[in-house]
Amino acid sequence: MSAPVSRLAVSRRDFLRFSGTAGAAAAISAALAACSGPASTNGTGASGSNDLLTGVIGYGNDQSWDPLLTASAFTMAANNHIYEGLVDTDPLTRAPYAALATALPDTTGTTWKFTLRSGAKWHDGQPVTIDDVLFTYQRALDNKNQTLAYSFLASWLKEVKQVDDTSVEFTLNYPFPDGLARLTIPKIMPRHVFGTQAGLDAAKGGKAVGSGPYKLTAHNPKSNSEFERFDDYNGPLKPTIKKMNWLSIVDASARVAKISGNSAGAQLSDNVPYANIDQLSKGGLTVEGGKGMNHMFLMFNTKQKPFDDVRVRQAMFYAIDTQKMIEVALKGHGTAASSFLNHENPSYAQASTVYTYDPNKAKQLLAAAGVTNLSITLMAVNVSWIVDCLPTLANSWEAVGIKTTLAPQDTSALFTKMDQSQSYQVVAAASNPNQFGLDCDLILRYNYTANGTWMKYTKWDASTEAKQIFSLMDQAAAQPDKTQKLALEHQYLDLIAQQAVLYPVVHTELMTAWNPKKLSGIQALPYPGYNLLKAKFA
């Protein structure tokens, strides 16, 4: 990007921080329940009803529901059914298509025009207007609002202005065809619902009013969220399933139990544990995987010695017996990271620094850095597959003389500590920027943005090396020649690998399971959640 983006405003922070708005969430849940009746969590649709699809998502539904803020797996999946962008993307290929807009623009220039779909309505019956489009983009492009969407738009998108009662014009800082697919990130929100601070607080807590194929009818944090097909939807997708009940089940064993056996309470689940694939397959379920950017990464506090020394960070990566981790914890459903990007990404190339398992090299690097008797506490999120990987990390580091204490904990609690600037040494967590898109710039901006949330955690973005990376990212984004653009991307990917400040250990395959006797049209996605807009009862 040619102009620096000043912050990745709330990528992880609001994903977690707004789960603390318990009062707002409870009020919203009560209001929705009053309209729709008690929420069902027993999956009555699993017995064969053609009205209700019951699914399981292995992530919490109690984090922010604001489309411009959230990075929550559950919420983003839900919002893709509730809201629309001017442009949305195919959930698997990420090819853009006109959603609230009537057509896609020519992206070769610096001016894009969009005309609003006639007759589009919000779930409360009010018409979708150009004022709603302007409200959404004004909020997204104003950095004072600290939206996550800002980080993916601001450097290339200069302004959005009204042309007439049915159309808007986008002015770009430079030609940026990749930006078209990014327009699925700022879902259009109704000003009359969310145009006040109270309205935005309600969005964070779980209120959702969109123009998409499904409307939210009940929301019970840490339990379930319910949806009903919106009969006044007049867009390009025509879902056939009338009602959906999504259960939030973070515990892996409970998740498997819910979709298993003759008395299964749900018809599908994402985040299927690798250890249960054979069991579920033999039980008649289809279990398929999606390979993408899903990964476990290590993140270092570079203000804590000795993690300010690149040799120490590199040593800790070289020490990891990654293949053992893949075989034991991931049951073969992982690939050792050889770049920040996964192998399937179009911009992938093997990085100049690859952390193959080499405990002797790890010991040499620690010795060269003058580090002996290092003792660390590894903080980690309690996502089930991450927890399964932790013993390999600890054993690998102990083998090169690094005493390791494991401290897995609730994801929200862990990052709340970091938001409060509590000190830490090393963190292991899961991430998947493919929730937002596939292009290299977008993926790296999620973590590597000056003054962004993740860089604040690492306390590294003021370094000479970080500034060099940010500069190369800016140059690559503005480069019109695809070959030169790719060369610049590989330069900064090499530097990111070498510095090992926030870097993947493994890229994993995400597994989805469903009952093919009851459902068709399901696709396993390479990022958390699922998309059921093409699902049908078998």
Side-chain angles (χ1 to χ4, degrees):
M1 299 182 179
S2 61
V5 178
S6 62
R7 67 192 335 156
L8 179 58
V10 286
S11 63
R12 179 63 81 162
R13 179 171 59 233
D14 278 313
F15 165 29
L16 302 154
R17 181 177 53 157
F18 292 124
S19 65
T21 56
I28 292 160
S29 178
L32 287 170
C35 297
S36 62
S40 168
T41 59
N42 62 8
T44 55
S47 62
S49 166
N50 282 337
D51 285 336
L52 176 64
L53 182 156
T54 301
V56 179
I57 287 189
Y59 305 89
N61 72 337
D62 58 339
Q63 295 149 0
S64 175
W65 280 65
D66 186 331
L68 300 189
L69 293 177
T70 192
S72 159
F74 191 110
T75 305
M76 289 191 69
N79 283 346
N80 285 334
H81 295 72
I82 297 168
Y83 291 93
E84 299 176 275
L86 288 173
V87 172
D88 281 325
T89 60
D90 180 271
L92 198 58
T93 68
R94 310 315 287 263
Y97 64 88
L100 266 174
T102 57
L104 300 180
D106 177 1
T107 60
T108 58
T110 57
T111 301
W112 299 351
K113 184 179 178 180
F114 296 96
T115 299
L116 200 61
R117 187 178 75 228
S118 177
K121 292 182 180 179
W122 298 112
H123 294 161
D124 63 3
Q126 296 295 312
V128 179
T129 69
I130 287 297
D131 191 48
D132 298 317
V133 178
L134 295 175
F135 162 67
T136 300
Y137 275 94
Q138 287 165 356
R139 181 172 171 237
L141 290 172
D142 186 346
N143 194 28
K144 290 185 294 185
N145 295 321
Q146 296 193 342
T147 66
L148 173 56
Y150 174 87
S151 302
F152 299 130
L153 302 174
S155 63
W156 59 273
L157 180 54
K158 183 178 181 180
E159 65 175 346
V160 177
K161 62 182 181 181
Q162 182 173 353
V163 176
D164 52 40
D165 289 344
T166 62
S167 59
V168 290
E169 183 177 85
F170 284 37
T171 302
L172 280 61
N173 291 320
Y174 46 81
F176 192 62
D178 284 344
L180 187 63
R182 295 192 191 186
L183 299 189
T184 188
I185 298 172
K187 302 297 187 186
I188 305 303
M189 301 173 68
R191 186 191 290 269
H192 71 276
V193 177
F194 300 115
T196 65
Q197 188 57 53
L200 293 176
D201 288 342
K204 295 167 189 173
K207 184 171 185 177
V209 179
S211 61
Y214 285 93
K215 56 184 178 181
L216 184 69
T217 56
H219 175 57
N220 300 282
K222 297 189 177 183
S223 172
N224 72 309
S225 296
E226 298 185 20
F227 311 82
E228 184 173 328
R229 190 174 60 209
F230 180 44
D231 290 336
D232 284 339
Y233 168 74
N234 69 343
L237 303 173
K238 305 296 181 184
T240 62
I241 292 170
K242 185 176 181 181
K243 295 180 180 180
M244 301 188 296
N245 183 22
W246 291 11
L247 312 178
S248 170
I249 304 180
V250 178
D251 178 74
S253 59
R255 196 160 61 247
V256 170
K258 184 61 70 172
I259 60 172
S260 300
N262 294 329
S263 60
Q267 300 136 332
L268 81 160
S269 175
D270 80 334
N271 197 18
V272 172
Y274 304 120
N276 298 103
I277 292 173
D278 288 345
Q279 168 202 342
L280 295 174
S281 297
K282 290 175 181 177
L285 299 186
T286 297
V287 185
E288 293 183 1
K291 292 184 177 181
M293 267 299 296
N294 202 65
H295 60 276
M296 180 180 74
F297 65 87
L298 297 179
M299 177 172 63
F300 296 89
N301 180 352
T302 62
K303 293 300 182 185
Q304 276 264 8
K305 289 185 177 298
F307 308 110
D308 58 334
D309 192 321
V310 66
R311 294 171 294 186
V312 175
R313 302 193 299 265
Q314 289 180 340
M316 294 184 68
F317 276 94
Y318 278 119
I320 300 170
D321 191 346
T322 311
Q323 199 55 45
K324 181 178 180 181
M325 179 185 293
I326 292 168
E327 292 171 0
V328 175
L330 305 179
K331 310 302 180 187
H333 294 276
T335 303
S338 55
S339 166
F340 196 96
L341 300 178
N342 58 298
H343 282 260
E344 294 75 17
N345 190 281
S347 295
Y348 169 83
Q350 181 172 296
S352 57
T353 303
V354 177
Y355 295 101
T356 53
Y357 177 47
D358 193 339
N360 289 330
K361 187 168 186 175
K363 292 177 181 178
Q364 292 168 6
L365 285 165
L366 290 171
V371 173
T372 57
N373 299 318
L374 179 59
S375 180
I376 69 167
T377 296
L378 175 66
M379 295 171 62
V381 298
N382 64 348
V383 175
S384 56
W385 69 269
I386 293 287
V387 174
D388 291 342
C389 290
L390 296 182
T392 301
L393 288 176
N395 292 336
S396 296
W397 289 336
E398 294 275 1
V400 298
I402 302 173
K403 184 178 180 181
T404 304
T405 299
L406 299 176
Q409 53 201 277
D410 177 77
T411 301
S412 180
L414 188 156
F415 284 98
T416 296
K417 293 174 183 177
M418 299 182 68
D419 289 334
Q420 295 170 347
S421 296
Q422 294 185 28
S423 187
Y424 78 99
Q425 295 171 298
V426 190
V427 162
S431 182
N432 195 331
N434 283 164
Q435 292 178 110
F436 304 101
L438 291 178
D439 76 84
C440 178
D441 178 81
L442 178 150
I443 289 169
L444 271 298
R445 296 277 174 185
Y446 181 69
N447 292 121
Y448 282 85
T449 296
N451 296 316
T453 298
W454 293 102
M455 289 294 95
K456 287 181 179 178
Y457 291 158
T458 64
K459 307 183 190 306
W460 183 72
D461 59 349
S463 69
T464 301
E465 295 81 4
K467 290 177 180 178
Q468 183 181 2
I469 289 168
F470 301 149
S471 176
L472 285 168
M473 292 172 71
D474 292 342
Q475 294 174 48
Q479 174 55 248
D481 182 87
K482 291 184 178 180
T483 301
Q484 295 182 44
K485 182 188 191 76
L486 189 61
L488 287 166
E489 289 173 346
H490 291 163
Q491 283 187 50
Y492 67 69
L493 286 166
D494 283 347
L495 286 171
I496 287 170
Q498 180 191 59
Q499 291 298 312
V501 170
L502 189 158
Y503 200 68
V505 176
V506 290
H507 292 106
T508 69
E509 188 176 14
L510 289 174
M511 310 305 295
T512 301
W514 66 92
N515 187 337
K517 294 180 180 179
K518 297 184 181 297
L519 292 176
S520 64
I522 308 297
Q523 293 177 307
L525 300 179
Y527 50 92
Y530 35 62
N531 187 298
L532 303 179
L533 296 176
K534 296 180 181 179
K536 297 179 180 180
F537 285 112

